Amino acid sequence: MADIIIKNAYILTMDPEVGDIENGFVLVENGIIKDVGTSTNSNAEKVIDAKGSVLMPGLINTHCHAGMTLFRGYADDMHLKEWLEDNIWPAESKLTDMDIYAGTKLACLEMIRSGTTSFADMYMHMNKVAQAVEESGIRASLSYGMIDFGDREKADMELKEGSCFVKEWNGRANGRITTMYGPHAPNTCSRDFLIRVKQQADKDNVRIHIHVLETEAELNYMKEKYGMCSIHFLKDIDFWGTAILAAHCVWLSDGDINILARHGVNISHNPVSNMKLASGICPVSKLVKSGANVCLGTDGCASNNNLDMFEEMKTAALLQKVSTMDPSILPARKILEMATVNGARALGIRSGMIKKGYNADVILIEMKKAHLTPVYDVASHLVYAASGKDVKTTIVDGIILMEDGNVISMNEHEVLNTVIKVSEELISRLGN
Amino acid sequence: MADIIIKNAYILTMDPEVGDIENGFVLVENGIIKDVGTSTNSNAEKVIDAKGSVLMPGLINTHCHAGMTLFRGYADDMHLKEWLEDNIWPAESKLTDMDIYAGTKLACLEMIRSGTTSFADMYMHMNKVAQAVEESGIRASLSYGMIDFGDREKADMELKEGSCFVKEWNGRANGRITTMYGPHAPNTCSRDFLIRVKQQADKDNVRIHIHVLETEAELNYMKEKYGMCSIHFLKDIDFWGTAILAAHCVWLSDGDINILARHGVNISHNPVSNMKLASGICPVSKLVKSGANVCLGTDGCASNNNLDMFEEMKTAALLQKVSTMDPSILPARKILEMATVNGARALGIRSGMIKKGYNADVILIEMKKAHLTPVYDVASHLVYAASGKDVKTTIVDGIILMEDGNVISMNEHEVLNTVIKVSEELISRLGN
């Protein structure tokens, strides 16, 4: 007998060959979707009646710094330099293993609650991040954020730490945890270091997660230092490819867009963070038109300040419409693709669709609510009217992590109390 | 004895002379806030322990078409002309009294659920809108939307209908309902008609709610027809003043901003709608700097697609930051002012502050949740991390409309089912 059968759901399969199924079922066995359709004689140990709910693939957050939940609301409405150099970096330098573990647990809890089933993370104390991911039941692609600032000794140490992490954790937790290399950005990592990271990643057959052209300051720095922008600089060292996850990509020329598309680079668009920090507007519609794989991310909680991928979807749509002055740009279904199918492709995981043989990463959204009534078009509601708080059930790898709003895989009370304690101690260590 | 006492709350009074009260109480009697402070011997028939919650003035939605909840998700991702002329207007022409009543009930329910305690509405079948408002317990400033398109006969009829509504409903429901005149916009109402409306409003001592420069098309039309933009055109007929609520104001020159500020015009900024319809970006930071009274609105559900004022607050902040490339613009507290104090000023109501003698329009927000943990700055969380779904209790005019997530003033199930039925009938009448 199968493990779970979900019946009577409106299924948004996100499978282009199938489309939506109005009254369907999904059968789950050993963490995998075993069958999807309209009628079945199959049975399972656990039966979920999803009448009145939408079933869809869990959302995929492709750029996060999960531990930064600890800095939610810690420093807002500031210029980037003041925010980062006077507030975030000093605070980060005081973070302990325990802090990162607690902050990541909170992030996993928030993501499970809001329908995110996978995320890509780049941060520090990554063993603790991985432990939190393993325990919470969520799926993640993790990387240790490496910075060398042109210091050869630091470069060696960073690469060693990144490499140890990759080797220790790749494929762990029944494959829920995968790893990447995480060179921070072209302006914080030296050319030589980036070349070494790329070689090591190729050798280890893992992907690379990197910030690229988040700010105009990076663009100016690169032009000054190398006489070219980050996109051309990385092309010059044969960095680009389908194994690269490039976050932000705000300051792109049309030529840059062609390079990214031609090399099949995965671009994580983070509209809320880009707006809040006034980084600029990523030319998403041009990227999509060029054939690039654009997915969505929340960035860390210090610049968002939540991890709600539904909010990210709506903001992505709205920002492109107003910035191109074209309301037909990036319609709801295209945005849903970015948050599911494209995200899975960027992380190299078999998720993001409700399809036989795919990971059973599934969410249920309750529709009979004031702000979701009436229903003409489910996709429209998911992007423009819903939020993560409408998610009632979250399943990852075939395991129910939240059911009817009750988180099962974690002790929610304990997670919140630990973060409150840890953040108070952090503030007292920081002396403010 | 007083009616209600709320104890142990973190109070965001929004009163500049008081600021926040960390552990305070609010005493309510006869619909009015009787006392606010840190300790009291007072008692009340109903005691609410608000430990762990933030207490703040209910949010004020200053531009809405409540009945348009019926068109939530009905037509998205379209150019304005196609959206309005091929979809919304044909559907609106089929609306009955019953439809508007059902749709407005749904809007009131959604607003009560998401912490909005007052709204300004402009629509049609206004007797039914007023009835829905009266029954739901929310506060509203209502106007019949008048369009003459230069037709004198139509102008007479519209003004008569607007005037009848003003006289019948102003001050009803214990003063919860106030009324305004609602000339639709400078490009849909003739010069002569606008002059007559202004005179009538002055005579009746009520305010005026009007759309102004929502689109570039309006700007071009006005320049072509009158040789000047809407702001100068309305200045020319002595329209502007503190009794005017002008929605959108997207296409403003610096000179226009000065005119609006000098005349004390109230400007309802609707960022989500402006982004979704690709109308453009209102220069809010310049308006605020000029001293204009800027408040916030959701617009109708057909262009949003919800009525969540928390989402509107976050979007307003983010959009100004990215469009001015200044992350310090419109900090969280300034945004909260727009949604409370400034909104109350725009509607001419004694709400928007937790202050002795003010209307008891109060909401409680539950803070012990994953996405609101930890707390360094309450204002930051309300604007950047929370949503309307975090509101647990809503009080309007001293009456508890929702307590701990349970709506008391309406039969939620019935409201939803009626809208589902009404929208199905509407679709079949429309023949699609």
Side-chain angles (χ1 to χ4, degrees), chain A residues 175-294:
Chain A
R176 269 196 291 118
I177 295 177
T178 52
T179 58
M180 298 191 188
Y181 278 93
H184 180 262
N187 60 332
T188 52
C189 296
S190 66
R191 187 175 185 278
D192 179 56
F193 183 57
L194 288 166
I195 292 170
R196 288 172 68 199
V197 170
K198 177 68 165 62
Q199 285 168 346
Q200 192 65 45
D202 286 347
K203 199 175 143 211
D204 295 345
N205 196 27
V206 297
R207 297 183 175 222
I208 294 178
H209 189 170
I210 185 169
H211 298 85
V212 179
L213 288 178
E214 178 175 4
T215 64
E216 194 177 16
E218 176 183 331
L219 179 63
N220 293 338
Y221 173 91
M222 295 302 286
K223 280 191 171 164
E224 173 121 344
K225 180 155 186 188
Y226 298 104
M228 61 183 99
C229 78
S230 307
I231 306 300
H232 283 81
F233 166 78
L234 291 170
K235 176 173 176 284
D236 207 45
I237 60 167
D238 287 328
F239 194 83
W240 294 126
T242 54
I244 306 294
L245 172 58
H248 300 300
C249 295
V250 170
W251 291 88
L252 301 179
S253 69
D254 288 350
D256 296 337
I257 290 170
N258 285 335
I259 292 173
L260 293 172
R262 208 167 58 236
H263 288 85
V265 177
N266 305 290
I267 294 129
S268 178
H269 175 45
N270 294 212
V272 172
S273 173
N274 295 159
M275 294 173 82
K276 185 157 184 282
L277 296 174
S279 304
I281 301 173
C282 171
V284 172
S285 49
K286 283 186 180 179
L287 281 165
V288 169
K289 207 172 170 186
S290 76
N293 184 47
V294 184

Side-chain angles (χ1 to χ4, degrees), chain B residues 396-417:
Chain B
V396 177
D397 211 32
I399 307 291
I400 301 172
L401 306 185
M402 176 172 77
E403 186 171 14
D404 291 332
N406 299 307
V407 175
I408 297 163
S409 64
M410 312 175 81
N411 182 332
E412 184 157 18
H413 193 68
E414 193 181 292
V415 171
L416 298 184
N417 285 342

Side-chain angles (χ1 to χ4, degrees), chain A residues 91-335:
Chain A
E92 281 185 336
S93 73
K94 302 279 187 188
L95 290 177
T96 65
D97 263 12
M98 184 56 211
D99 297 338
I100 297 279
Y101 173 74
T104 306
K105 276 271 186 142
L106 177 64
C108 293
L109 173 63
E110 190 185 345
M111 287 192 267
I112 290 167
R113 278 217 156 279
S114 54
T116 293
T117 52
S118 300
F119 70 105
D121 207 61
M122 182 202 292
Y123 214 45
M124 48 187 150
H125 304 260
M126 292 306 293
N127 287 319
K128 287 303 184 180
V129 173
Q131 186 190 334
V133 167
E134 182 166 31
E135 290 170 7
S136 72
I138 203 167
R139 189 182 302 280
S141 187
L142 306 176
S143 60
Y144 168 64
M146 304 178 292
I147 294 183
D148 75 322
F149 283 130
D151 176 337
R152 176 74 202 198
E153 205 178 323
K154 189 159 168 50
D156 291 345
M157 281 168 53
E158 290 284 83
L159 191 52
K160 193 176 164 199
E161 176 139 3
S163 187
C164 283
F165 177 71
V166 160
K167 278 160 192 143
E168 186 169 342
W169 284 96
N170 203 37
R172 287 268 291 272
N174 193 34
R176 269 196 291 118
I177 295 177
T178 52
T179 58
M180 298 191 188
Y181 278 93
H184 180 262
N187 60 332
T188 52
C189 296
S190 66
R191 187 175 185 278
D192 179 56
F193 183 57
L194 288 166
I195 292 170
R196 288 172 68 199
V197 170
K198 177 68 165 62
Q199 285 168 346
Q200 192 65 45
D202 286 347
K203 199 175 143 211
D204 295 345
N205 196 27
V206 297
R207 297 183 175 222
I208 294 178
H209 189 170
I210 185 169
H211 298 85
V212 179
L213 288 178
E214 178 175 4
T215 64
E216 194 177 16
E218 176 183 331
L219 179 63
N220 293 338
Y221 173 91
M222 295 302 286
K223 280 191 171 164
E224 173 121 344
K225 180 155 186 188
Y226 298 104
M228 61 183 99
C229 78
S230 307
I231 306 300
H232 283 81
F233 166 78
L234 291 170
K235 176 173 176 284
D236 207 45
I237 60 167
D238 287 328
F239 194 83
W240 294 126
T242 54
I244 306 294
L245 172 58
H248 300 300
C249 295
V250 170
W251 291 88
L252 301 179
S253 69
D254 288 350
D256 296 337
I257 290 170
N258 285 335
I259 292 173
L260 293 172
R262 208 167 58 236
H263 288 85
V265 177
N266 305 290
I267 294 129
S268 178
H269 175 45
N270 294 212
V272 172
S273 173
N274 295 159
M275 294 173 82
K276 185 157 184 282
L277 296 174
S279 304
I281 301 173
C282 171
V284 172
S285 49
K286 283 186 180 179
L287 281 165
V288 169
K289 207 172 170 186
S290 76
N293 184 47
V294 184
C295 46
L296 294 176
T298 58
D299 209 348
C301 264
S303 60
N304 188 308
N305 296 352
N306 62 43
L307 302 175
D308 188 339
M309 281 286 290
F310 284 87
E311 190 179 295
E312 212 67 39
M313 286 199 290
K314 182 167 183 175
T315 306
L318 297 183
L319 184 58
Q320 283 304 299
K321 289 174 196 301
V322 80
S323 66
T324 60
M325 290 301 280
D326 180 353
S328 71
I329 281 274
L330 292 189
R333 295 260 167 193
K334 186 59 83 180
I335 293 283

Side-chain angles (χ1 to χ4, degrees), chain A residues 69-74 76-80 106 109-110 113 216 251 271-272 274-281 304-307 311 314-315 317-322 324-333 368-377 380-381 384-390 412-413 415-417 419-420 423-424 426-427, chain B residues 69-74 76-80 106 109-110 113 216 251 271-272 274-281 304-307 311 314-315 317-322 324-333 368-377 380-381 384-390 412-413 415-417 419-420 423-424 426-427:
Chain A
T69 52
L70 294 177
F71 303 127
R72 191 199 308 276
Y74 174 69
D76 299 290
D77 307 320
M78 290 173 192
H79 288 274
L80 184 71
L106 177 64
L109 173 63
E110 190 185 345
R113 278 217 156 279
E216 194 177 16
W251 291 88
V272 172
N274 295 159
M275 294 173 82
K276 185 157 184 282
L277 296 174
S279 304
I281 301 173
N304 188 308
N305 296 352
N306 62 43
L307 302 175
E311 190 179 295
K314 182 167 183 175
T315 306
L318 297 183
L319 184 58
Q320 283 304 299
K321 289 174 196 301
V322 80
T324 60
M325 290 301 280
D326 180 353
S328 71
I329 281 274
L330 292 189
R333 295 260 167 193
K368 198 156 179 191
K369 294 185 175 183
H371 66 283
L372 301 177
T373 301
V375 181
Y376 302 106
D377 174 3
S380 163
H381 276 16
Y384 297 124
S387 87
K389 286 159 204 158
D390 298 313
E412 183 157 18
H413 193 68
V415 170
L416 298 183
N417 285 342
V419 165
I420 291 166
S423 65
E424 282 167 0
L426 177 63
I427 293 301
Chain B
T69 52
L70 294 177
F71 303 126
R72 191 199 309 275
Y74 174 69
D76 299 291
D77 306 319
M78 290 173 191
H79 286 274
L80 184 70
L106 177 64
L109 173 62
E110 189 184 345
R113 279 217 156 278
E216 193 176 17
W251 291 88
V272 172
N274 295 160
M275 293 174 83
K276 185 157 184 283
L277 295 174
S279 304
I281 300 173
N304 187 311
N305 296 351
N306 63 43
L307 303 175
E311 189 178 296
K314 182 167 182 176
T315 307
L318 297 184
L319 184 59
Q320 283 304 299
K321 289 174 196 302
V322 79
T324 61
M325 289 300 281
D326 180 353
S328 70
I329 281 273
L330 293 190
R333 297 258 168 194
K368 197 156 180 191
K369 295 184 175 184
H371 65 284
L372 302 176
T373 302
V375 181
Y376 302 107
D377 174 3
S380 163
H381 275 16
Y384 298 123
S387 88
K389 286 158 205 159
D390 297 314
E412 184 157 18
H413 193 68
V415 171
L416 298 184
N417 285 342
V419 165
I420 291 166
S423 64
E424 282 167 0
L426 177 63
I427 293 300

Side-chain angles (χ1 to χ4, degrees), chain B residues 276-294:
Chain B
K276 185 157 184 283
L277 295 174
S279 304
I281 300 173
C282 171
V284 172
S285 49
K286 283 186 179 178
L287 281 164
V288 169
K289 206 171 170 187
S290 76
N293 185 48
V294 184

